[in-house]
Structures are given as structure tokens and as C-alpha cells.
Amino acid sequence: MHAVQCENCLKWRVIDTQDEFEEIRYKFIEEPFHCSQKANCSCDDPADIDYDSSRTWVIDKPNLPKTPQGFRRSLVLRKNYSKFDAYYFTPTGEKLRTRTEITSYLKDHPECRDISATDFDFASPKIMRDTIPEDVEQKYSVSANKKAKMTQDDI
């Protein structure tokens, strides 16, 4: 699910498609989102979704490049909720994990000559810690504390 917050009323609006979300995100700094950009929607309408801990929320960086036509960007949440890993799928279904793989793919596929490796971004959204499920949060905190303690003992 994709959602964006209105600059005026601060209500969250669900965005129907990944393409539409990426278009909004791509120009978010120059053109912040307003409820009126969504069909049949205004700031007077109730929020589509509320920010709460019933789901894990993430905040994406603004102005990331839109995924090139024919490719698909996929974010995979790690089991410990520490971060997302970003991948791109090519028009032929091949999974690309790094900018080096992207560059190699583009070089080997002349039909992609109008696409540059800079059109892809592996930045992952920031996970809002207050929405991580408690059982996961505890596991994450315990392992982080153990790591910190080990580091202190080793010094």
C-alpha cells in the first residue's frame, strides 16, 4: 500500500498504484501533494488511512527517480525490521540487486539505450520504529544491546 500526506491538512491519502506513487514522490519537493490531486478528494474529506501501529509505516525519501518503463522496483523488509532491501526486476523478469548489475544489464540490452544506471535508486525507506510490532522491536533491541555490550567488552 502506498500513502502520502497532504501538505495542507496533513491527512494521509492512499495512492492506488506504485506508478502514481512514484510520480508523486519524484517531484514531491517541487510539487508537494495536496488532497485535490486525488480524484474526487478534498481536505474536507476524512483521511483514507490513519497513522497508527496497526501496520508498519515507512517514510520514503522525496524526489527519488521514477522506475524506468518496463522495470519494477521491489522493496523487501528484513525479518528483524532493521531495513528494506531494494531490488529491480527487468522487463524479462531478471532480478537486479546492485548498480553494477544494472549497468551490466543495460550494456547487454541495446533496447535500453535511453535508460541510465542513474535512473535507478537503491535507497530504502526509513522504518518508523513506533510502528514496528512489539515482539519484533524487543528482539531487535535485545540483539542491538548484545552487540553494543560485546563491543564495549572488547575495548
Side-chain angles (χ1 to χ4, degrees), residues 6-127:
C6 175
E7 180 186 45
N8 294 333
C9 68
L10 304 179
K11 293 176 183 170
W12 287 96
R13 300 294 176 200
V14 173
I15 304 303
D16 295 329
T17 67
Q18 183 172 343
D19 287 341
E20 187 180 355
F21 174 77
E22 286 187 7
E23 180 70 29
I24 293 167
R25 183 189 63 201
Y26 175 64
K27 40 188 182 176
F28 193 79
I29 292 176
E30 296 82 21
E31 298 176 29
F33 179 80
H34 298 105
C35 290
S36 59
Q37 290 173 247
K38 186 173 176 180
N40 303 314
C41 187
S42 78
C43 289
D44 296 331
D45 297 329
D48 294 345
I49 189 170
D50 292 317
Y51 180 91
D52 62 20
S53 61
S54 66
R55 62 182 46 83
T56 301
W57 285 73
V58 300
I59 303 294
D60 219 343
K61 293 180 181 181
N63 289 42
L64 290 180
K66 295 187 308 186
T67 301
Q69 184 92 21
F71 288 80
R72 185 174 55 85
R73 183 173 189 246
S74 176
L75 296 170
V76 178
L77 181 61
R78 292 187 178 180
K79 287 181 184 178
N80 67 1
Y81 284 64
S82 62
K83 69 175 275 189
F84 280 90
D85 293 311
Y87 303 106
Y88 284 92
F89 288 90
T90 69
T92 58
E94 186 178 343
K95 184 178 186 178
L96 305 177
R97 295 170 176 83
T98 65
R99 191 167 308 281
T100 302
E101 289 180 5
I102 297 269
T103 301
S104 178
Y105 180 87
L106 295 175
K107 184 178 175 184
D108 294 343
H109 292 83
E111 67 274 15
C112 296
R113 67 183 167 278
D114 294 334
I115 300 173
S116 165
T118 60
D119 294 332
F120 299 84
D121 196 303
F122 288 90
S124 64
K126 177 184 176 189
I127 299 168

